[in-house]
Every structure is written in C-alpha cells, then in structure tokens.
Amino acid sequence: MLTAGVARANITPPLTVPHAGWGAQTHVYPEGIHYDLWATVLCLAQDGELVCLADLDLCYVTMPQAELLRERIAAALGIAASRVRISTSHTHAGPFIHSNWYKDDDATVTYINEMVEAIVGCAAEAARELVPVRVAAGFGECGIGKRRIQKLDDGRLITGYDPNGATDPIVGTVKLETTDGELLASLLYFSCHPTTLGPDNKLVSPDYPGVARRVVEQLTGGRCLFLQGSTGDIGPGPEGFRSDYAAVERMGTILGSEAAKTLLQLEAVPSAWQFERVVESGASLGLWTNAADVSDSSPAPLLVASRMIELPIKQLVPTEEAEQLYLACQSRMQELIEQGGSADDIREATYKVKRSHKIWQQSLRYYGQASASIEAHFIAFSDIVLAGVPVEPFSSTGKGIREASPFACTLFGGYTNGWLGYLPPAEQYAEGGYEIETSPFAEGAAELLAGQVTAILRELYEQSSSTRT
C-alpha cells in the first residue's frame, strides 16, 4: 500500500537578510513579517521505494542551491537525488538569496545554511512518520489569476493586466488520507504569479499561496503543500504589485476555499450507500449505511522519473561584456544607497542591476551553446502525476500538457529543482516583451518541451498501467 509522511519547518529569514529583489524597490532589508514562510515536505513510499517532495516559500532556488538541497536530503533519506523534488511557491516577498547584489551578505549565507539544515531535518521527520494512505484527486476553478502581458496604446508591452487575456483557472487538488479517513496531507496546484505584493512592500510574506495553505488546513485539516503551475503570463491582475495586504488575504482565501471545497468532496473510497431501515418519528425516517469497501483492492504504483530535455538557446550577449555591464550597474546602485540618493535614482539603478544580472548569468551559463539540457521531473501515483521543470512556462503550455496527458490528474508546473528563466510559447516571440528579453531560450523551445513531456507522460502511464495489471 502507498504510505506517506509529512512535516513542516519555519524558514522565515531574519530581518538582516536582503528582501524580495524587485528591480523597482528602494529598500534593501524588510521591516517585518506578514506571515511566516514554511517548508513543507511530503514523503511517499511503496514497496521500499521512497520519494520526497519539498514545498518552499521562496521565489526560486538557483540550480546549485537545488542540487545541494537534493543531495543533502537524498543522503539523509538514503535515496538517489533524482527521487527528491524541490518546488518553490515563487513568492516575490521573501528573502533575496539568488545572487550577491548587495555587498553585505554574511547574514544571507548564514540564513541559507540554516534553512538547508531545517529542510533536511523536515524531510527526515516526514520519512520517519510514514503511514498507509488512500488517495483521491480532483479539480476546481478559481478566477484570481489574470493575464499579465499588457499592450499599451503605443504598442509597448508591459507586465500588468490584460482583462481580456486567456488564463488557466484550474485548481488541482490531491488528498492523502489515513486508513481511518483522517486527512494527512493535501496538494494545492494553481497557476498565478505571487506578485500581489510589489516593490513598495517591506514585509516578508508568502503572498497568496501562504494564505491559501492556511485556509485549506483550517477547513480540512492535515498539512497543505502548494504547487505553482505554469505562470509565465499569469498574475494577480489590477491589484498586483502593491502593498495591499487585504488583497493578499482575499485572493488567498478565495483560492483556499475553492481547494478546500474540492478536497472535501473527494472520496478516496467511493461511497456505496445502502438503505438500512425505517425509524418512525414525526415522519417515517429512512436511514442509510455506507457499505463502501475500504480494502486496498487496487494498489497505486509509485513511479519516479527524471529525464533531460534538450532546448534551443537564442543568441546571447558575450559573457565579458555582460559582466562589465552588470558590475557597472551594481557599483552605481551601491553608491546611491550609501550616499542616500533619491528614491527615483535608486529605483532606476536597482532595476538596471536586476536586468543586467539576468543577462550576465544567462551568458555565463549558455554563451556559445546552441542548446541546453534541462531536467523534467515526474512523480506518478494512483492515476496522478506531478510534473515539474526548472523554468517559467506559460499557461498555454501547461494547459496543453494537461489536456494531452493520459493521467486523470496531471499537475504540471515550473519552479522545480531550480530556475533557468521564462519559457515563452512561439507566438510570444513576435510580440516581444520582458519575458522574451530575459529568456535564454529560442523560439520553439516551449513547443519542443511540451511534446517531449507529453511523450514521457504517455510512457509513464503505460508503465503504471502494466504495473497495476
């Protein structure tokens, strides 16, 4: 029988760790905590084979950070690193741990080390608490996500709000309940950038995913993990990019309530109601009994796959040129901060640092290469598959994969086992915009990835079906 264990750790950073990383922000450090940040780890096991999924309240982890976490967790659990998945919620109001924009980073290094230890300990705890579980999955819908690629009257594309743009309202839910019917853990999947809180926000926050998790747990029990979907072109709409905590509460509550409703309606064991007897009262009352068979007659095969997919790389700026630009921008930003420059000057300098840093990092990693290998990671159980990649897919890619998948419940998303940038669909390249400018991938890469992910899903489904048979 499938077994599961879940554990949680608090990974809220101290206020001495640089905050957020918005290009338009003028502050370096946060001034308080909106909600604590969580690391929630789910372990699944069957026939002695274990897999570990960690959900982290972070914007993203770099490829080296993801590799370190996977290796440390794998060593602690005695499994291969390929059986560990690191997922981030993509909150833009958490600690800035991705690069050294600011000179004073000792606190960041200390925080990262302590965070890694906490997550590894959390994984070990989850693995120790394995119990038999039954599984069910289903979908709801939520409208808080809006298309965020906005065209101005002059033709310029910005990251804003398109009220007529296509979105992906699907809310994916998975429940894992113990054999006595108690909810042990749940998965909540949704596609929307957690950018309700923007550059002016000075509080550490998990944004709407943190509120949604808390709502689910209050209404259903157990521990809730959030899985970010394909959000490259989806955001919180006209209420985004501000310091509106009421909007965070409202959006998270709407999403969490929809997920909780869906979870409460799911049946891990299908009902089999039978009429029992009549009790005479003021009316003749009919009593029914649920005669469902709770025995595990159909074991759910647990499958894990890690596959490399080759994606084309576009022409990039030479590495030395990109580095010089970045260092010049960084020096200017630091000079303004130290000398008390105006908010407008600091904001302009900071966004230039952010963009030049992305260009440099892409060149450092890929310059001179025609293509790059990225990892697609899959965890399949009970006609459910969790598929993740270390990029930011667009909603059309996510919907296409879900619709083509043979699994009854396919939860495909980005921000998995690291982060390498946006993966826009081909039609977006003609339009341009921020996502195209900052992506390392060439036109057609998204379609190539979708085709290969779909092929792997079909292969896994056939393997799952033959194992079940």
Side-chain angles (χ1 to χ4, degrees), residues 45 88 103 128 157 190 203 246 257 288 297 308 328 396 415 459:
T88 58
K103 290 192 302 185
R128 288 194 302 266
L157 288 184
F190 191 64
L203 300 184
S257 297
W288 287 66
S297 58
M308 303 307 293
S396 59
Y415 319 100
E459 177 188 328

Side-chain angles (χ1 to χ4, degrees), residues 201-262:
N201 164 57
K202 295 182 180 180
L203 300 184
V204 171
S205 174
D207 209 292
Y208 79 83
V211 176
R213 283 196 209 90
R214 287 164 171 82
V215 169
V216 169
E217 293 179 4
Q218 180 181 5
L219 296 178
T220 68
R223 297 291 198 192
C224 177
L225 288 81
F226 180 85
L227 300 182
Q228 188 60 264
S230 300
T231 71
D233 57 337
I234 306 296
E239 294 179 285
F241 312 126
R242 299 183 180 273
S243 300
D244 189 345
Y245 306 104
V248 175
E249 294 286 345
R250 184 179 62 80
M251 291 182 184
T253 300
I254 292 171
L255 176 61
S257 297
E258 176 65 14
K261 181 190 76 172
T262 306

